Amino acid sequence: MADFELTKHLRMPAATKIVQLVMDGLGGLPREADGKTELEAADTPNLDALAARSQLGLAMPVRPGVTPGSGPAHLSLFGYDPLAYDVGRGVLSALGIGFDLHPEDVAARGNFCTIDENGLITDRRAGRIPTEFSQKLTALLSQIELPGIKAFVQTVKEYRFLLALRPTQGQTLYANIADTDPQKTGVPSLPAVAEDEASEATAQLVNEWIAAARDILKDHAPANSLNLRGFAKDPGFPKFPDVYGLRAAAIATYPMYKGVAKLVGMDVLAVDGEEVEDEVETLRAHWDAYDYFFFHVKKTDSAGEDGDFERKAGVIEHVDAAVVPAILDLDPDVLIVTGDHSTPSALKSHSWHPVPTLLWSRYCCWDGVHEFGERTCGRGSLGTFPATDEMQLALGHALRLNKYGA
Amino acid sequence: MADFELTKHLRMPAATKIVQLVMDGLGGLPREADGKTELEAADTPNLDALAARSQLGLAMPVRPGVTPGSGPAHLSLFGYDPLAYDVGRGVLSALGIGFDLHPEDVAARGNFCTIDENGLITDRRAGRIPTEFSQKLTALLSQIELPGIKAFVQTVKEYRFLLALRPTQGQTLYANIADTDPQKTGVPSLPAVAEDEASEATAQLVNEWIAAARDILKDHAPANSLNLRGFAKDPGFPKFPDVYGLRAAAIATYPMYKGVAKLVGMDVLAVDGEEVEDEVETLRAHWDAYDYFFFHVKKTDSAGEDGDFERKAGVIEHVDAAVVPAILDLDPDVLIVTGDHSTPSALKSHSWHPVPTLLWSRYCCWDGVHEFGERTCGRGSLGTFPATDEMQLALGHALRLNKYGA
């Protein structure tokens, strides 16, 4: 049976509410001192009490041993197998900076680079120019005009930028275009080559834009040229509200997570501030209007990426105190507490480790373990399970799935 | 995504070393006296200490309830789903006796049988003639000459032998040929019938060889005829070093295991002796030259097959003392201790029980359970998992996989 077909077949309406609380990069690794992970070391009385009445498990974002990026990791939590639902790099770049990508846009990831007097690439990253310098260049490139096209150019970070082409006269653009980056130095950039007939006109436009851009950049060494990679359009995934029959809202403060939520058709709610308390306010204000909330906490991941065990544990403690009781006060029917992936401070990066996860509902056969941590989840009754199962488990526990067969 | 495509896409170089220590038939069953399995009854201080800093689980070789042969069980440990990567019986016979099968060879498993004066089969196993008698017959059959073909005939055991046809004039042989064994008595053998057009010439050669062989055998009752089964060629599987990006070496003392390792493209290292200490010497001598070592221990399985609980526990104790510390002294980055399948002494045979498995790396979120055994592994955080996942988990823990998606 195709993806989502069973879910769409069985789902039924109900007046129940589901919250998926995602602490980004939640999973961690033991520290030397006492063998505790960040989550285990954190003092989390509310999560521990909740765990005692929940099922515990470890959620695998992609496949065993595989470390996910943020986009694939979130798609997985929303029930979309990231190997089947592939988002092009251009679209991920747009999501990452909160660019309002339209379905008709073609997006690409751009890299400034350095070329010598013969046009051969000498540095594929233009000496990693500072973001401020990059922003001046993308402002200049934004002035390029193409017939029937609006070309958006925005800095991502350092030498990386986003190019998005939007048709203004109803024409259709196609994104099956090869990278111009030859992936090595000492050779010239490649032209943008269409990989199917439909994409030829778009590739031609891209080449015109590249020529104009290089003309502008030629005096801005080390960023005196550029390459484009990962041409892509909005992949047109099945929409989350349609798949699950849920009015769905996303509460997040960072562009990437709002972007992925938007990609699957959730309403992205405005948050007045950057703190989890502000996100809780948004949740309260919209509680009645939605059936499902994706509630994203960013700072666990940032602390893990910085290798700061104590700070990561502190963020978890803060969520335990400021978010968990507030959500429970709203009386949800299903609450899942999880992460999109692990970000152990020991590794200072995303990792492949499956993520501690708790599923609470009044109809769950709770494990009765009074602690939410990697080790208790590793012995939990959910086992090590694909993160893509979470939404369907949530629907079941929310009494939103009909019986299969008579 | 096809098998290995994700792995090949994500793998990256690293200066890390992986050891997969395979105790053949490791898994066992509880004895009456104290309910302990062979592994649990064995005194294994080194494995227990390692377990405390490892993730534990039970590895399933094929599918629930399915008992694997040695070939499929090892393919699974190497990451090849044995249902998808099927090795013909002829090739397995060749591997099992250490025959140097070439890619152009066609191999078949042969059985001596008894026929009556009308050519009807009366015993499909020729009264299970002794191996020594069989060896005299295969020596005679080795003298058969076919045009453009070298025909190798070697005894496997008792009435079973290997036939391998090797083209000597550059021609191609094909193996899509039906068995000649009618699988019952009272009927004549079938001719070798090609099941596609390409295999017709080879089938004709086989029939010529059979005719010559029967002429030799006619006076050697009860082995006065023969049948051929499982015609096959080297299946040309993806090569392990290419799939995983690892310089891979196999250390084993028995032909079958060297053969399976060779089939997936590992270097098979010479071992000077038959003991695990000799294998350790080989590991030490080649440590710098490889990234991955398959280290095979045979005697656990032999003891299990003999139904000897104490001896099997003793072999495990010997590995604990003589192999585990020696491997750890070499400072690997990832060490997996597992088996290819279970061989409980209570059953005196291979079994379907998933296999106790331990994964150690400096980046594993260890379960903290100070005992390596079936029961602790059954509660471990790896859960009951497909053995085919082991290599991808190892690559992740060896920091040899790039992030999937941004």
Side-chain angles (χ1 to χ4, degrees):
Chain A
M1 201 175 272
D3 290 358
F4 302 130
E5 202 181 314
L6 180 67
T7 313
K8 289 169 89 165
H9 176 64
L10 297 180
R11 65 159 201 243
M12 60 180 180
T16 51
K17 293 196 186 287
I18 299 167
V19 179
Q20 199 175 21
L21 169 57
V22 178
M23 285 187 260
D24 205 297
L26 177 62
L29 281 174
R31 61 181 170 191
E32 201 53 43
D34 58 2
K36 288 189 174 182
T37 67
E38 296 90 326
L39 175 59
E40 291 167 353
D43 182 27
T44 54
N46 295 303
L47 283 168
D48 292 346
L50 186 65
R53 302 287 288 215
S54 298
Q55 279 192 276
L56 305 182
L58 294 171
M60 184 164 351
V62 183
R63 293 292 185 275
V66 174
T67 300
S70 295
H74 275 84
L75 285 174
S76 187
L77 286 178
F78 301 153
Y80 299 68
D81 179 350
L83 297 191
Y85 292 90
D86 189 25
V87 185
R89 286 209 152 249
V91 171
L92 276 179
S93 282
L95 300 179
I97 58 169
F99 179 78
D100 180 29
L101 194 73
H102 291 199
E104 67 270 22
D105 298 352
V106 164
R109 175 174 156 175
N111 291 351
F112 291 113
C113 67
T114 313
I115 55 173
D116 66 16
E117 65 281 7
N118 299 315
L120 307 183
I121 299 171
T122 57
D123 183 342
R124 291 177 54 240
R125 297 181 185 84
R128 294 187 183 270
I129 51 167
T131 300
E132 298 70 34
F133 181 37
S134 174
Q135 283 164 339
K136 282 179 194 153
L137 299 177
T138 52
L140 290 174
L141 298 184
S142 294
Q143 296 165 14
I144 297 172
E145 293 189 359
L146 290 176
I149 295 292
K150 170 86 185 117
F152 300 87
V153 193
Q154 293 187 12
T155 292
V156 173
K157 195 178 176 186
E158 299 173 346
Y159 63 95
R160 293 187 284 122
F161 65 89
L162 167 74
L163 169 67
L165 302 180
R166 179 169 300 163
T168 56
Q169 293 166 4
Q171 72 274 43
T172 303
L173 301 183
Y174 296 90
N176 206 350
I177 299 172
D179 296 351
T180 74
D181 186 345
Q183 299 277 354
K184 53 185 175 182
T185 54
V187 294
S189 292
L190 305 167
V193 177
E195 296 188 314
D196 60 21
E197 213 176 305
S199 304
E200 281 176 9
T202 309
Q204 182 52 38
L205 280 166
V206 169
N207 283 320
E208 287 174 33
W209 183 87
I210 291 175
R214 291 205 175 121
D215 195 52
I216 292 173
L217 294 174
K218 65 179 187 294
D219 302 324
H220 292 87
N224 62 354
S225 188
L226 58 78
N227 280 306
L228 297 173
R229 301 167 62 182
F231 290 89
K233 292 178 81 166
D234 180 328
F237 292 161
K239 297 303 178 230
F240 186 101
D242 178 50
V243 167
Y244 298 114
L246 296 168
R247 297 170 298 165
I251 302 176
T253 58
Y254 271 57
M256 167 63 94
Y257 315 102
K258 297 186 201 179
V260 180
K262 202 180 130 197
L263 195 71
V264 297
M266 293 184 198
D267 288 354
V268 176
L269 303 180
V271 179
D272 187 16
E274 296 290 322
E275 304 303 322
V276 292
E277 288 84 351
D278 304 318
E279 296 184 78
V280 165
E281 275 316 303
T282 299
L283 178 69
R284 282 206 191 98
H286 294 84
W287 186 250
D288 293 336
Y290 292 93
D291 307 307
Y292 163 91
F293 294 89
F294 157 52
F295 190 113
H296 183 261
V297 174
K298 175 63 185 172
K299 289 181 180 170
T300 29
D301 180 61
S302 319
E305 294 262 7
D306 291 346
D308 193 334
F309 187 104
E310 295 299 331
R311 198 173 101 226
K312 185 172 167 189
V315 175
I316 295 169
E317 291 182 354
H318 187 60
V319 170
D320 184 76
V323 178
V324 174
I327 293 175
L328 292 174
D329 277 351
L330 289 165
D331 195 24
D333 295 276
V334 179
L335 172 56
I336 293 174
V337 183
T338 188
D340 55 338
H341 54 75
S342 295
T343 306
S345 4
L347 282 166
K348 298 189 181 184
S349 68
H350 292 200
S351 79
W352 60 91
H353 302 89
V355 187
T357 298
L358 154 176
L359 185 152
W360 174 87
S361 93
R362 47 190 69 69
Y363 305 115
C364 85
C365 192
W366 36 273
D367 295 342
V369 179
H370 197 91
E371 192 201 334
F372 184 46
E374 279 79 356
R375 274 57 170 263
T376 54
C377 288
R379 294 190 296 272
S381 62
L382 290 174
T384 296
F385 68 99
T388 49
D389 286 349
E390 282 187 24
M391 279 309 304
Q392 191 141 301
L393 281 168
L395 286 188
H397 283 272
L399 307 183
R400 284 178 170 270
L401 289 180
N402 265 307
K403 186 158 64 176
Y404 178 75
Chain B
M1 202 174 274
D3 291 358
F4 301 130
E5 201 181 315
L6 181 66
T7 312
K8 289 171 87 166
H9 176 64
L10 296 180
R11 64 157 202 245
M12 60 179 181
T16 51
K17 292 196 187 283
I18 299 168
V19 178
Q20 199 174 22
L21 169 58
V22 179
M23 284 186 260
D24 205 296
L26 176 63
L29 282 172
R31 62 181 169 192
E32 202 52 45
D34 57 2
K36 288 190 175 180
T37 67
E38 296 90 328
L39 175 59
E40 290 166 354
D43 181 29
T44 53
N46 295 303
L47 283 168
D48 291 345
L50 186 65
R53 302 287 288 216
S54 298
Q55 279 192 276
L56 305 181
L58 293 171
M60 185 166 348
V62 182
R63 294 292 185 276
V66 174
T67 299
S70 296
H74 275 84
L75 285 174
S76 186
L77 287 178
F78 302 152
Y80 298 68
D81 181 348
L83 297 192
Y85 292 91
D86 189 25
V87 185
R89 286 213 147 250
V91 171
L92 276 179
S93 282
L95 300 179
I97 58 170
F99 179 79
D100 181 29
L101 194 73
H102 291 198
E104 67 272 21
D105 297 352
V106 164
R109 175 173 155 175
N111 291 351
F112 291 113
C113 66
T114 313
I115 56 173
D116 66 14
E117 63 281 7
N118 298 315
L120 306 182
I121 299 171
T122 57
D123 184 343
R124 290 177 52 243
R125 295 182 186 83
R128 294 188 186 269
I129 51 168
T131 301
E132 298 68 34
F133 182 37
S134 174
Q135 284 165 337
K136 282 178 195 155
L137 298 178
T138 52
L140 290 174
L141 298 184
S142 294
Q143 296 165 15
I144 297 173
E145 293 190 1
L146 290 176
I149 296 291
K150 170 87 184 114
F152 300 88
V153 193
Q154 293 187 12
T155 292
V156 173
K157 195 177 175 186
E158 299 173 348
Y159 63 96
R160 293 187 283 123
F161 65 89
L162 166 76
L163 170 67
L165 302 181
R166 179 169 302 164
T168 56
Q169 293 166 4
Q171 71 275 43
T172 304
L173 301 183
Y174 296 89
N176 205 351
I177 299 172
D179 295 353
T180 74
D181 186 345
Q183 298 278 353
K184 54 184 174 184
T185 54
V187 294
S189 291
L190 304 167
V193 177
E195 296 189 314
D196 60 22
E197 212 176 305
S199 304
E200 280 175 9
T202 309
Q204 182 51 39
L205 280 166
V206 169
N207 283 320
E208 287 174 33
W209 184 87
I210 291 174
R214 291 203 175 122
D215 194 52
I216 292 172
L217 294 173
K218 63 180 188 295
D219 302 326
H220 292 88
N224 62 355
S225 189
L226 56 79
N227 280 306
L228 297 173
R229 301 167 63 182
F231 290 90
K233 292 178 81 166
D234 179 329
F237 291 162
K239 297 301 178 237
F240 186 101
D242 179 49
V243 166
Y244 298 114
L246 296 168
R247 296 171 299 167
I251 301 176
T253 57
Y254 271 56
M256 167 63 95
Y257 315 101
K258 297 184 199 177
V260 180
K262 202 180 130 197
L263 194 71
V264 297
M266 293 185 199
D267 288 356
V268 177
L269 303 181
V271 179
D272 187 15
E274 296 290 321
E275 304 304 321
V276 292
E277 288 84 351
D278 304 318
E279 296 185 77
V280 166
E281 275 317 302
T282 299
L283 179 69
R284 281 206 192 99
H286 294 83
W287 185 250
D288 293 336
Y290 292 92
D291 307 306
Y292 164 91
F293 295 88
F294 157 53
F295 189 113
H296 183 262
V297 174
K298 174 63 185 171
K299 289 180 180 171
T300 29
D301 180 60
S302 320
E305 295 262 7
D306 291 345
D308 193 334
F309 188 104
E310 294 300 329
R311 198 173 100 226
K312 185 172 167 190
V315 176
I316 295 169
E317 291 183 354
H318 187 58
V319 171
D320 183 77
V323 178
V324 174
I327 293 176
L328 290 174
D329 276 350
L330 290 165
D331 195 25
D333 295 276
V334 179
L335 172 57
I336 293 175
V337 182
T338 187
D340 56 339
H341 53 75
S342 295
T343 304
S345 6
L347 283 166
K348 298 188 182 184
S349 68
H350 291 200
S351 79
W352 61 92
H353 303 88
V355 187
T357 298
L358 154 177
L359 185 152
W360 174 87
S361 95
R362 27 191 86 69
Y363 303 116
C364 84
C365 192
W366 37 273
D367 295 344
V369 179
H370 197 90
E371 193 201 334
F372 184 45
E374 280 77 355
R375 276 56 169 262
T376 52
C377 288
R379 293 190 296 272
S381 61
L382 289 175
T384 296
F385 67 98
T388 48
D389 286 349
E390 281 186 25
M391 279 308 303
Q392 191 144 298
L393 281 168
L395 286 187
H397 282 272
L399 308 183
R400 283 177 171 272
L401 289 179
N402 267 305
K403 188 158 66 172
Y404 178 75

